[in-house]
């Protein structure tokens, strides 16, 4: 089998340099000590650890010595700490909508229950699909449904659905532009250089929060101010016409000031609301 792995130099390595992507052809089940000897001859490595375990005690094809594993030359056993994943599986619809799942090198099982990427979708089987990640490509494989061995038992479980870019498939390459559908859930892949939330946690809390635009309050008070200012004005004009004394019109100046204040304050509040609404729309389009 071709073992695709990364050789990294640890703090206790005899030589230092950048990580190397390797493809090593070995039969599945090869003892790790043979691989350690091969690497020592070809790359001058010393003691190698994989996920904190001595390479000499492992077996090729058995976790953690599988495709996508990181071989640390000069690392310290039992203290290996996984680096933040560089890829995320983002759920856009379904019961897990808004969640982000770290995607690690090697095989990532998608399903319910104890799968690496556990999605609470009833239309997804326990082991629905496998996302295989190597240094060269990403491949999505539909896994067969569990079927009953007894012929007279309940009907066999139908094959789980898997679609890539809207097309049903059993096996296909994927990338960050692909749309993945498992059951009733739709996902996409996202490259990430930063630490990510734990699997199943809500994603993008700082981005997907609704933008709040507060509508101007006090509309009732504005109308009350208009009515309060308009009544003295009408009464003043009526008294001036009835008595012929135009001095009553002097009192209407106070009501005119009240009217202008109420009208202009309401107009200013509406302008500010439209401005805030426009800014919120622009920000929502950007994000």
């Amino acid at each position: 089998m071709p073992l695709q792995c990364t050789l990294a130099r640890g703090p206790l390595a005899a030589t230092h340099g950048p990580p190397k992507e390797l493809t090593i052809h070995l039969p599945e089940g090869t003892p790790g000590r043979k691989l350690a000897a091969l690497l020592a001859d070809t790359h001058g490595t010393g003691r190698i650890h994989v996920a904190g375990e001595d390479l000499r005690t492992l077996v090729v094809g058995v976790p953690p010595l599988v495709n996508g594993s990181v071989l640390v030359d000069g690392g310290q056993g039992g203290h290996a700490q996984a680096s933040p994943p560089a890829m995320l599986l983002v759920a856009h619809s379904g019961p897990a909508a808004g969640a982000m799942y770290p995607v690690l090198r090697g095989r990532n099982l998608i399903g319910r229950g104890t799968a690496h990427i556990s999605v609470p979708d009833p239309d997804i089987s326990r082991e629905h699909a496998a996302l295989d990640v190597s240094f060269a490509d990403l491949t999505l494989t539909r896994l067969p449904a569990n079927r009953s061995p007894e012929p007279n038992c309940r009907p066999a479980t139908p094959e789980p659905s898997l679609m890539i870019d809207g097309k049903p498939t059993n096996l296909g390459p994927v990338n960050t532009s692909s749309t993945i559908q498992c059951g009733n859930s739709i996902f996409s892949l996202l490259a990430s250089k930063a630490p990510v939330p734990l699997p199943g946690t809500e994603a993008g809390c700082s981005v997907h929060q609704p933008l709040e635009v507060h509508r101007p309050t006090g509309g009732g008070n504005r109308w009350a101010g208009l009515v309060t200012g308009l009544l003295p004005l009408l009464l003043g004009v009526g008294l001036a016409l009835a008595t012929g004394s135009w001095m009553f019109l002097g009192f209407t100046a106070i009501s005119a000031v009240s009217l202008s204040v109420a009208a202009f304050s309401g107009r200013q509040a509406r302008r500010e609301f439209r401005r805030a609404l426009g800014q919120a729309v622009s920000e929502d389009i950007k994000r």
Side-chain angles (χ1 to χ4, degrees):
M1 61 168 284
L3 176 64
Q4 297 176 337
C5 57
T6 303
L7 177 62
R9 305 291 182 174
L12 303 180
T15 59
H16 298 279
K20 297 180 180 179
E21 301 292 349
L22 304 178
T23 300
I24 305 172
H25 294 273
L26 289 172
E28 188 171 358
T30 300
R33 64 178 181 274
K34 291 188 176 181
L35 176 57
L38 175 63
L39 292 174
D41 293 337
T42 56
H43 296 279
T45 57
R47 181 73 63 86
I48 295 178
H49 290 86
V50 181
E53 299 184 36
D54 193 328
L55 174 61
R56 297 172 299 179
T57 65
L58 303 177
V59 177
V60 175
V62 178
L65 191 54
V66 294
N67 281 331
S69 58
V70 178
L71 283 59
V72 182
D73 176 28
Q76 297 178 347
H79 298 283
Q81 183 176 1
S83 59
M87 190 72 64
L88 301 172
L89 185 70
V90 183
H92 297 284
S93 68
M100 292 193 299
Y101 302 91
V103 176
L104 306 177
R105 291 282 297 272
R107 168 155 286 201
N108 299 263
L109 292 179
I110 303 173
R112 293 184 288 110
T114 58
H116 300 127
I117 299 176
S118 180
V119 183
D121 186 340
D123 290 325
I124 290 180
S125 59
R126 293 187 181 275
E127 293 185 353
H128 193 94
L131 179 61
D132 293 298
V133 181
S134 70
F135 66 85
D137 50 27
L138 295 90
T139 305
L140 192 64
T141 306
R142 186 179 75 168
L143 299 178
N146 295 327
R147 299 184 180 276
S148 174
E150 298 296 332
N152 296 326
C153 289
R154 58 184 178 84
T157 305
E159 290 290 334
S161 61
L162 176 64
M163 301 179 72
I164 299 177
D165 294 329
K167 299 179 180 179
T169 185
N170 292 330
L171 174 67
V174 291
N175 53 46
T176 54
S177 299
S178 303
T179 299
I180 301 169
Q181 180 172 350
C182 297
N184 285 324
S185 299
I186 296 178
F187 307 89
S188 67
L189 290 165
L190 175 67
S192 173
K193 296 182 180 179
V196 298
L198 294 176
T201 57
E202 291 300 319
C205 293
S206 61
V207 175
H208 297 291
Q209 286 285 352
L211 297 174
E212 295 184 0
V213 180
H214 297 284
R215 192 175 185 86
T217 58
N221 294 334
R222 181 169 62 88
W223 285 109
L226 290 174
V227 173
T228 303
L230 186 61
L231 284 177
L233 178 61
L234 295 177
L235 289 175
V237 173
L239 289 173
L241 294 175
T243 62
S245 176
W246 297 101
M247 63 177 298
F248 288 105
L249 293 178
F251 295 102
T252 61
I254 301 176
S255 62
V257 173
S258 301
L259 281 173
S260 61
V261 170
F264 282 108
S265 63
R267 185 177 180 182
Q268 182 67 21
R270 290 192 296 274
R271 282 183 177 177
E272 293 178 355
F273 172 70
R274 286 194 294 268
R275 187 181 301 111
L277 185 61
Q279 291 176 351
V281 170
S282 300
E283 184 177 347
D284 190 52
I285 291 174
K286 290 179 181 179
R287 71 178 190 172

